[in-house]
Amino acid sequence: MPAVVIVGAQWGDEGKGKVVDLYAEAADMVVRYAGGPNAGHTLVVGDVSIVVRLIPSGILRPQTRCVMAQGMVVDPAVLAGEITALEARGHVIAGRLFVSDRAHVILPYHPLIDGLREGAAAAGAKIGTTKRGIGPCYEDKAARRGVRVGDLRDLRRVEALVASNLRAWSPVIRDLGGEVPDVARIMAEIAPLAERLRPLVTDTSALIEGALKAGQRVLLEGAQGTLLDVDHGTYPFVTSSSAVSGGACAGAGIGPTRIRRVVGLTKAYCTRVGEGPFPTELDDAIGERIRKAGHEFGSVTGRPRRTGWVDLPALRYAARVNGLDGLALTKLDVLTGLSEVRACVAYDTPQGRTRELPVDALETATPVYETFPGWSEDLAAARAIADLPEAARSYVRFVAAQVEVPIDIVSVGARRDETITLRDAFAANTTAS
Ligand code: GDP
Ligand code: IMO
Ligand code: MG
């Protein structure tokens, strides 16, 4: 049974947690393939809301095995905290959670450097990172000096790597006005965490291949979103990992031939947290209303998310770079009560009007909007497209037609049941209904 990829089609926070948790009901394995604790994926079951940052969003489904694959960067302290919190709620982790020996370890100097850099950056140069050490950790990986999770089996090796890495980073830390941390203190912090995580560590690429060969259903869970991808996003206002669907292969250690379907997630509007261009941003009362109705505050940092209209050229771009087969349209309910709803359909640029996203020239591009009548009905009880008011239905149809990707799911609330499912994730790959 081939794998299904769930990928964010915007700037993150599209509702990956909800959709992965929903699909995980029918999955045997859920694999996170990129990013680290910069992610915050929210799972709502009844009245309980849980945010996972490193652990895959399948963890609430007892039949799934959950894998943190080698494309990830893992902060052992955050992971230990997440495990403790889930176990306290009665979820079984032992024997169900596996961490790649090749994933990289976030060490205390990574968030230190991330925070110092953000603090020192001039206005306009700030990325608005989550300050979780993501960038510096991936830098160490690319510099071929990083500490990998498998290294935690040999603390003497970790100590030598930490000492030499700190020598490399010290001029940077000092230049930013920081204090270079002490190797012994870092090792004292890491040693008990290494002990705790060691039983989870394995060759996860082989584990995933074994599941696929046994005919199991595997979900590959993206983090961040297409426009935050280091290659395809709004560079340099991006994260440091490969967030697109192609990143799922390298990040999980499986070949592209194993992927059956790629589902892209988009909100019915758009948000961005952190700095960087956001042409459809609403800096007005409507934007504030969407922020309130959608609870658009970062699940990691608590920062208010910037809000705006849906960007169809951006979704067409996401459809291209991810090879989207299906769309999951989330948070349609949040638009309820607006007198009209808008969608960006094209851009006016110095070179003329285009339906493409001018991804590297967004500052000089002006969105061209189409306006739709709004609706006032509560959508939370809708379980079929026919249950939606006509205005909401035609908005959904317009988005699918413009992006030229069929809709698999429309989400009308944070809870699992507040969903219109048009196509099951693991259904045979025929045309969507
Ligand atoms: P992720 O990072 O893509 O997993 O998304 P986040 O969890 O950071 O943010 C999405 C937020 O929207 C969470 O608070 C979800 O509980 C919530 N959510 C997801 N789908 C819906 C929906 O259809 N309607 C509403 N109102 N909330 C939703
Ligand atoms: P999920 O998986 C939204 C953003 C940060 C910042 C930029 C770089 O929950 O969708 P980083 O800390 O990665 O170096 O920050 O990327 N960012 C996210 N925004 N959702 C996320 O994850 C994000 N992960 C990183 O706000 O703009
Ligand atoms: Mg999130």
Side-chain angles (χ1 to χ4, degrees):
M1 170 72 69
V4 172
V5 182
I6 312 294
V7 66
Q10 298 173 310
W11 277 287
D13 301 327
E14 300 91 347
K16 295 176 291 293
K18 164 167 175 173
V19 171
V20 171
D21 170 61
L22 197 69
Y23 281 160
E25 186 177 16
D28 300 294
M29 182 177 271
V30 181
V31 181
R32 256 284 297 270
Y33 63 81
N38 47 349
H41 296 180
T42 312
L43 317 172
V44 180
V45 184
D47 296 333
V48 180
S49 168
I50 295 173
V51 177
V52 285
R53 295 168 57 191
L54 288 167
I55 294 180
S57 299
I59 200 70
L60 301 189
R61 305 287 193 172
Q63 87 289 353
T64 60
R65 289 189 291 167
C66 289
V67 174
M68 294 167 49
Q70 66 228 52
M72 290 188 72
V73 288
V74 179
D75 185 324
V78 174
L79 179 55
E82 246 173 62
I83 293 172
T84 302
L86 284 163
E87 284 179 339
R89 288 176 183 272
H91 300 288
V92 176
I93 303 294
R96 286 187 58 218
L97 180 65
F98 303 89
V99 184
S100 168
D101 51 2
R102 293 176 157 238
H104 278 250
V105 179
I106 297 179
L107 289 153
Y109 42 91
H110 294 129
L112 171 72
I113 296 158
D114 196 355
L116 287 170
R117 276 183 183 158
E118 283 290 291
K126 275 189 211 303
I127 308 283
T129 74
T130 59
K131 301 185 186 171
R132 295 308 191 266
I134 308 299
C137 186
Y138 278 115
E139 282 171 58
D140 274 349
K141 171 179 173 173
R144 296 162 292 188
R145 63 182 184 211
V147 175
R148 300 195 292 179
V149 170
D151 294 327
L152 296 176
R153 295 181 182 121
D154 178 356
L155 288 178
R156 278 219 297 257
R157 177 177 161 73
V158 174
E159 186 166 359
L161 280 168
V162 166
S164 74
N165 283 342
L166 275 179
R167 277 196 293 279
W169 281 116
S170 319
V172 177
I173 297 172
R174 288 207 191 91
D175 189 48
L176 291 166
E179 198 179 311
V180 179
D182 179 54
V183 178
R185 202 181 292 169
I186 291 174
M187 291 312 297
E189 209 175 294
I190 281 293
L193 292 168
E195 180 89 9
R196 176 135 189 234
L197 301 187
R198 228 171 271 149
L200 312 180
V201 180
T202 190
D203 175 351
T204 53
S205 162
L207 195 71
I208 300 165
E209 181 66 0
L212 289 169
K213 281 209 168 119
Q216 295 197 348
R217 296 169 163 208
V218 177
L219 276 181
L220 299 167
E221 175 182 2
Q224 290 72 57
T226 302
L227 295 169
L228 289 171
D229 179 275
V230 67
D231 289 293
H232 302 287
T234 48
Y235 194 88
F237 300 99
V238 295
T239 189
S240 302
S241 62
S242 183
V244 294
S245 63
C249 291
I254 61 170
T257 47
R258 300 292 180 267
I259 291 174
R260 163 182 282 180
R261 190 170 181 85
V262 181
V263 181
L265 268 71
T266 173
K267 287 175 182 166
Y269 49 97
C270 195
T271 64
R272 173 164 208 173
V273 59
E275 304 300 320
F278 182 6
T280 65
E281 183 166 12
L282 283 163
D283 213 356
D284 60 9
I286 298 176
E288 187 54 36
R289 183 186 169 134
I290 292 175
R291 181 159 33 249
K292 279 219 179 83
H295 304 290
E296 295 296 355
F297 296 89
S299 35
V300 175
T301 57
R303 291 179 289 178
R305 293 173 182 155
R306 300 156 69 191
T307 53
W309 298 120
V310 80
D311 184 334
L312 297 171
L315 289 180
R316 283 194 282 271
Y317 175 77
R320 161 154 62 92
V321 300
N322 292 296
L324 298 185
D325 296 306
L327 277 180
L329 183 73
T330 63
K331 305 191 88 160
L332 186 63
D333 54 298
V334 172
L335 297 182
T336 295
L338 293 175
S339 56
E340 51 183 36
V341 174
R342 293 175 139 204
C344 166
V345 292
Y347 278 100
D348 279 335
T349 73
Q351 290 75 37
R353 186 162 289 189
T354 173
R355 288 180 82 243
E356 301 290 315
L357 182 74
V359 66
D360 289 321
L362 287 175
E363 272 86 1
T364 55
T366 309
V368 178
Y369 290 105
E370 208 153 301
T371 303
F372 301 84
W375 59 89
S376 55
E377 294 88 340
D378 186 351
L379 306 187
R383 296 294 173 267
I385 291 288
D387 298 339
L388 294 174
E390 175 51 31
R393 219 174 344 183
S394 59
Y395 178 70
V396 171
R397 280 205 204 103
F398 182 79
V399 170
Q402 286 275 313
V403 185
E404 295 179 36
V405 176
I407 303 241
D408 286 3
I409 277 186
V410 178
S411 176
V412 291
R415 288 181 9 211
R416 285 169 171 170
D417 59 318
E418 289 170 334
T419 308
I420 299 169
T421 303
L422 299 169
R423 187 186 191 289
D424 291 331
F426 296 104
N429 206 9
T430 50
T431 316
S433 54

